[in-house]
């Protein structure tokens, strides 16, 4: 099961960064009429009307959607689910990306696209069911190269859980 926005970023951090708690932001948003608003409208309101930094506005918005509008942890605004797993692997950026992409290819077939010249190169896959998978490799660190697998357009919580377990096992097998 995915962690809620509140479990991922605690109330003390939100208050320190924005001057208000999650619940205080909920009250402000409810008073503004945000119960029926879409994600972008809520986040834009926080930035434009209350001067909240964009990153914090996203977190406050997701927490509001989960607590007030019924959005489930791991669920995207379009109703699908998305999970991401990242592990640090030994090897240079290109080599670790290629190893991880080869492991994903075993499950999802040939990649749909590759962006290999970016600072964070990535390989993208799309299943027949429309599930999207992105494998990326961040710039190397002394401890290794952070490699991530993001699986999106998942149809529900069960698919989310299975995808998260698969992504973790895939990256763990590459250690």
């Amino acid at each position: 099961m995915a962690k809620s926005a509140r479990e991922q970023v605690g109330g003390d951090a939100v208050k320190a960064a924005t001057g208000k708690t999650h619940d205080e932001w909920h009250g402000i948003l409810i008073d503004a009429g945000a119960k029926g608003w879409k994600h972008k409208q809520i986040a834009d309101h926080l930035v434009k009307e209350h001067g909240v930094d964009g990153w914090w506005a996203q977190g406050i918005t997701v927490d509001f959607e989960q607590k007030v509008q019924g959005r489930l942890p791991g669920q995207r605004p379009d109703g699908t689910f998305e999970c991401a797993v990242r592990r640090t692997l030994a090897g240079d950026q290109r080599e670790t990306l290629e190893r991880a992409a080869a492991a994903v290819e075993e499950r999802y077939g040939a990649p749909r696209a590759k962006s290999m010249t970016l600072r964070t190169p990535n390989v993208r896959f799309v299943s027949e069911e429309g599930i999207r998978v992105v494998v990326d490799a961040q710039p190397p660190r002394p401890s290794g190269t952070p490699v991530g697998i993001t699986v999106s357009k998942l149809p529900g919580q069960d698919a989310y859980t299975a995808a998260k377990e698969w992504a973790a096992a895939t990256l763990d097998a590459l250690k």
Side-chain angles (χ1 to χ4, degrees):
M1 175 73 103
K3 289 183 179 179
S4 70
R6 200 170 287 209
E7 290 171 316
Q8 292 178 18
V9 179
D12 292 341
V14 171
K15 182 156 179 130
T18 68
K20 295 180 178 35
T21 66
H22 287 291
D23 292 333
E24 289 170 328
W25 283 118
H26 290 184
I28 289 166
L29 290 168
I30 289 168
D31 289 346
K35 277 187 178 181
W37 295 356
K38 299 280 187 199
H39 180 92
K40 184 176 180 352
Q41 188 178 3
I42 297 168
D44 286 349
H45 175 81
L46 289 168
V47 171
K48 292 174 185 170
E49 300 299 322
H50 299 282
V52 177
D53 172 80
W55 189 88
W56 288 101
Q58 291 297 319
I60 293 165
T61 299
V62 171
D63 182 67
F64 179 79
E65 290 171 326
Q66 289 175 350
K67 292 290 185 177
V68 177
Q69 294 179 331
R71 178 172 163 183
L72 299 170
Q75 191 174 33
R76 305 291 299 157
D78 68 0
T80 65
F81 287 76
E82 177 178 291
C83 69
V85 176
R86 185 164 302 282
R87 299 286 189 267
T88 299
L89 304 177
D92 70 26
Q93 189 178 29
R94 174 73 62 124
E95 185 268 333
T96 56
L97 177 60
E98 288 174 359
R99 284 190 316 156
V104 171
E105 190 170 341
E106 289 179 22
R107 180 177 179 132
Y108 286 97
R112 177 73 56 96
K114 294 182 179 184
S115 299
M116 303 305 277
T117 58
L118 302 173
R119 184 173 189 273
T120 303
N122 63 73
V123 180
R124 296 179 300 284
F125 301 82
V126 179
S127 75
E128 290 179 12
E129 299 82 23
I131 294 170
R132 300 173 187 272
V133 181
V134 177
V135 184
D136 71 79
Q138 294 180 348
R141 300 179 180 151
S143 59
T145 300
V147 176
I149 297 175
T150 302
V151 185
S152 59
K153 299 295 182 185
L154 295 162
Q157 284 185 310
D158 291 343
Y160 167 94
T161 300
K164 184 128 182 161
E165 290 170 357
W166 166 79
T170 299
L171 291 174
D172 288 344
L174 298 174
K175 284 187 168 187

